Amino acid sequence: MPRRGSGSLSVKNKWTKTKWLLSDSGLRRFVPETKPFTRNSLNGMTARYKMVYFKPTTGTGGGGIARIDRTGAGKFRVKKDARTFEASSTASLFGLLQKIARGRSYLLQKGIYLQSSGGRPFDLRMTMQKAEGGRWVPSTMFVKLGKRNKVVTNYHQGGKLELVGQTLSRAGYSPAQIEHYKRRLKELGMQTARCFDRRSPRFRELGLDVALDRNGRLWILEVNTRPNFSALKSLADKSLYRTMVRYGKMYGRTR
């Protein structure tokens, strides 16, 4: 159920939010194939994709997420946190994932091979916030640089935050390419904000987790309806944190 807190509507169910994105003709091509976890969906997803992510339907900070890699015909490796498991069939893989889920609802999502910078995979965060008068503003964008050998890039899973230009430049992108991706992130943010507005005008902040794959394509991995502010304090440049706080004051998230 949608929840309201600190002046903005919050929806924790990732499947609900994914279905909203898929219902938008302009956004659905940016969403990796995602299915609720069942035996049939597992068989189909692992047949189609060499890498699949197993993620809780609700949850924050990258907790509970596992990565499934197909290593051969009917053989799989599952990595969760610092542990690795092997499965010799889709049936044994299903049983293993059931143990990880422990009765909780989970999703399967096509794995995206992330671009890397300095040998570390990264994804991008585009934060949208409402200004006075209900106008959406692309307030901040930054990079979540993953810790080596981690399943996710999240700050609370050992990741590091960086500025977009800094990371993309180190990854070999030209200034013109960097500006292109910044512009595309803002466009995706605005499209997503309009999509969520059609569901309820009470959304006042959104955090898009966007993957940049090795072919240069952008993918919306998920949308957070209560994006984290405090992690931005880890940046030497405090202007991004101050910007989020300034907009947050307009709808009661911050003081």
Side-chain angles (χ1 to χ4, degrees), residues 31 57 98 132 184 242:
V31 182
T57 304
Q98 280 188 311
E132 291 176 349
R184 290 297 295 122
R242 289 195 294 268

Side-chain angles (χ1 to χ4, degrees), residues 151-245:
V151 172
V152 294
T153 61
N154 298 67
Y155 177 76
H156 294 294
Q157 299 291 327
K160 176 186 176 184
L161 303 192
E162 283 191 343
L163 300 178
V164 172
Q166 175 186 358
T167 303
L168 293 188
S169 178
R170 191 173 57 241
Y173 290 92
S174 69
Q177 289 173 314
I178 293 170
E179 287 307 309
H180 164 77
Y181 282 116
K182 286 182 176 181
R183 185 170 62 252
R184 290 297 295 122
L185 282 172
K186 290 178 182 178
E187 290 168 353
L188 276 179
M190 289 302 296
Q191 285 178 269
T192 302
R194 288 193 291 267
C195 171
F196 275 60
D197 251 354
R198 288 194 292 272
R199 301 294 171 171
S200 172
R202 292 185 294 148
F203 289 110
R204 294 180 174 87
E205 56 184 19
L206 300 171
L208 283 72
D209 287 333
V210 181
L212 173 61
D213 73 17
R214 295 172 188 173
N215 295 317
R217 181 173 174 179
L218 295 174
W219 300 86
I220 301 175
L221 301 178
E222 64 179 74
V223 180
N224 299 277
T225 53
R226 190 169 174 79
N228 183 291
F229 283 27
S230 61
L232 283 171
K233 293 179 182 178
S234 67
L235 288 171
D237 180 354
K238 307 300 181 189
S239 64
L240 272 69
Y241 175 72
R242 289 195 294 268
T243 297
M244 286 188 73
V245 169

Side-chain angles (χ1 to χ4, degrees), residues 92-105:
S92 61
L93 175 63
F94 180 72
L96 173 60
L97 296 177
Q98 280 188 311
K99 289 180 181 177
I100 291 174
R102 293 184 298 177
R104 294 173 296 169
S105 174

Side-chain angles (χ1 to χ4, degrees), residues 35-48 108:
K35 302 284 186 185
F37 170 58
T38 65
R39 189 184 296 272
N40 285 341
S41 64
L42 178 66
N43 290 343
M45 293 285 278
T46 53
R48 284 191 292 280
L108 297 165

Side-chain angles (χ1 to χ4, degrees), residues 126-129 136-141 206 240 243-244 247:
M126 181 71 246
T127 307
M128 303 296 298
Q129 293 176 279
W136 282 106
V137 175
S139 61
T140 60
M141 65 174 73
L206 300 171
L240 272 69
T243 297
M244 286 188 73
Y247 282 109

